[in-house]
Amino acid sequence: MQVSDSSSRILAGLLEARTGQQLTMSRRWRIETALAALLRERGIPTLDELITILVMGREPSLALLNNETYFFRDRSPFDLLQKVALPKLVQRRQQTKRISIWSAGCSTGQEAYSLAMLFAEEPVKWAGWTIDILGSDVSECVVRRAREGTYSQFEVQRGLGINQMIRWFEETDNGWRAVEPLRRMVRFQVHNLLEPAPHPGKFDIVLCRNVLLYLNGERRAQVFDRMADAMAPDGSLMLGAGETVIGQTRRFWADPDSRGLYRPIEENEHPQIALGA
Ligand SMILES: C[S@@+](CC[C@H](N)C(=O)[O-])C[C@H]1O[C@@H](n2cnc3c(N)ncnc32)[C@H](O)[C@@H]1O
């Protein structure tokens, strides 16, 4: 399939308008690979026809988004949550015994299920607690897959040891499916980060990893605003490796006690706190 300059410009423009994600020139090679499969799958004969469908707004598959993910991606963030952020929350939430976590831009759900495993592997410690884990993504088709919780042999092995795989996944005709107790801990919804945050709106921990990389500065700042508004004042934000809030927003500052976590700042709080990050 030949992708002309004008088609690639239109497609990149549509993607950015809908999700904020910029398809820079160096990433335009994705167009050919991502769309060839989509055209085949949907029986759409030509790229021009696909563009018409997209412009008419009838095709929500957003096939150009980068959905790369795997279980316990980069490992150390999950250790940080388990060893630093969660013990602090346990102390602070003794009254309510409720912890709310949002995996924003969760793709096919591995991040949310990894979080669920952290809790499920310590049943005694978390007995009596309500743990709400929400995974959200702008792309309907990845959310559908996340809800289903079924992964190929390759996907389930990426990031999981054999014991974890056998304990938390069962083999089915379609692949490895997260066991029901794990699926019950996680809920998924379609949500665009450019829009107001999903319910319940006061999350204790927000993970937004490897999502904001290709947003322009203005849109990224908007997303940080929305996330700060959606968090408990003592909540923590975690970004992907190499991502930071520094120089991007005044609504978060680097937690001095926990490298890799960011704390929200109220809209009108003293700006020096933000700049001190
Ligand atoms: C590279 S994946 C990262 C998945 C996971 N957070 C991780 O780090 O493994 C990025 C995800 O962000 C989603 N995404 C991109 N723009 C978005 C937006 N505006 N709102 C919500 N999700 C978005 C994409 O659909 C994709 O599934």
Side-chain angles (χ1 to χ4, degrees):
M1 178 178 61
Q2 266 314 89
V3 183
S4 66
D5 274 2
S6 59
S7 297
S8 76
R9 261 200 312 278
I10 294 172
L11 288 164
L14 285 168
L15 184 72
E16 186 172 357
R18 288 200 191 165
T19 69
Q21 301 285 328
Q22 291 181 312
L23 204 61
T24 51
M25 285 313 268
S26 62
R27 292 173 70 239
R28 294 217 176 155
W29 60 267
R30 285 187 56 76
I31 292 180
E32 200 165 333
T33 19
L35 293 188
L38 179 76
L39 294 187
R40 250 195 331 273
E41 197 183 294
R42 304 285 166 104
I44 301 168
T46 64
L47 195 61
D48 284 347
E49 197 143 323
L50 175 71
I51 290 175
T52 313
I53 295 170
L54 284 164
V55 174
M56 303 291 286
R58 297 203 308 268
E59 174 51 71
S61 77
L62 307 175
L64 290 169
L65 289 169
N66 169 8
N67 301 127
E68 163 76 356
T69 188
Y70 49 91
F71 292 102
F72 293 99
R73 183 172 189 171
D74 304 333
R75 192 75 226 191
S76 62
F78 293 91
D79 292 341
L80 182 63
L81 287 180
Q82 196 167 28
K83 293 186 185 140
V84 181
L86 289 176
K88 283 186 187 163
L89 271 178
V90 167
Q91 287 173 9
R92 296 196 206 113
R93 300 290 184 269
Q94 279 301 318
Q95 295 290 318
T96 57
K97 289 207 178 324
R98 184 185 173 84
I99 294 179
S100 225
I101 307 183
W102 178 19
S103 163
C106 67
S107 185
T108 37
Q110 284 89 328
E111 185 172 86
Y113 287 115
S114 303
L115 292 166
M117 280 181 253
L118 288 186
F119 293 95
E121 283 173 359
E122 293 189 289
V124 176
K125 178 170 170 184
W126 297 109
W129 284 75
T130 303
I131 310 297
D132 179 37
I133 302 173
L134 169 68
S136 72
D137 201 284
V138 68
S139 162
E140 242 179 86
C141 68
V142 294
V143 169
R144 220 178 300 125
R145 280 211 55 208
R147 266 193 206 122
E148 170 65 28
T150 301
Y151 300 95
S152 68
Q153 181 82 36
F154 173 71
E155 288 169 327
V156 82
Q157 281 177 329
R158 279 187 88 193
L160 291 184
I162 190 81
N163 289 336
Q164 261 177 330
M165 176 181 140
I166 288 167
R167 183 165 178 199
W168 299 114
F169 292 82
E170 55 202 357
E171 201 169 4
T172 70
D173 290 344
N174 301 323
W176 291 79
R177 186 164 201 211
V179 294
E180 212 253 340
L182 204 64
R183 279 188 279 123
R184 251 190 290 123
M185 294 180 67
V186 183
R187 60 195 174 95
F188 292 99
Q189 79 178 61
V190 176
H191 173 259
N192 187 341
L193 282 166
L194 302 179
E195 284 162 15
H199 193 72
K202 285 294 165 202
F203 294 97
D204 299 303
I205 297 175
V206 175
L207 288 88
C208 186
R209 302 165 64 223
N210 310 299
V211 180
L212 304 180
L213 244 51
Y214 298 107
L215 259 57
N216 70 29
E218 193 186 328
R219 285 234 165 90
R220 202 178 293 149
Q222 249 173 37
V223 173
F224 280 129
D225 282 356
R226 294 205 189 283
M227 288 196 297
D229 290 339
M231 289 173 65
D234 60 351
S236 298
L237 168 71
M238 181 175 270
L239 299 174
E243 294 177 301
T244 182
V245 301
I246 298 169
Q248 319 269 329
T249 172
R250 290 170 166 255
R251 298 295 308 279
F252 285 94
W253 57 295
D255 185 338
D257 303 326
S258 318
R259 204 180 132 88
L261 295 178
Y262 301 98
R263 305 278 296 272
I265 301 171
E266 283 296 320
E267 182 89 63
N268 300 320
E269 238 176 300
H270 198 289
Q272 265 174 5
I273 300 174
L275 295 172

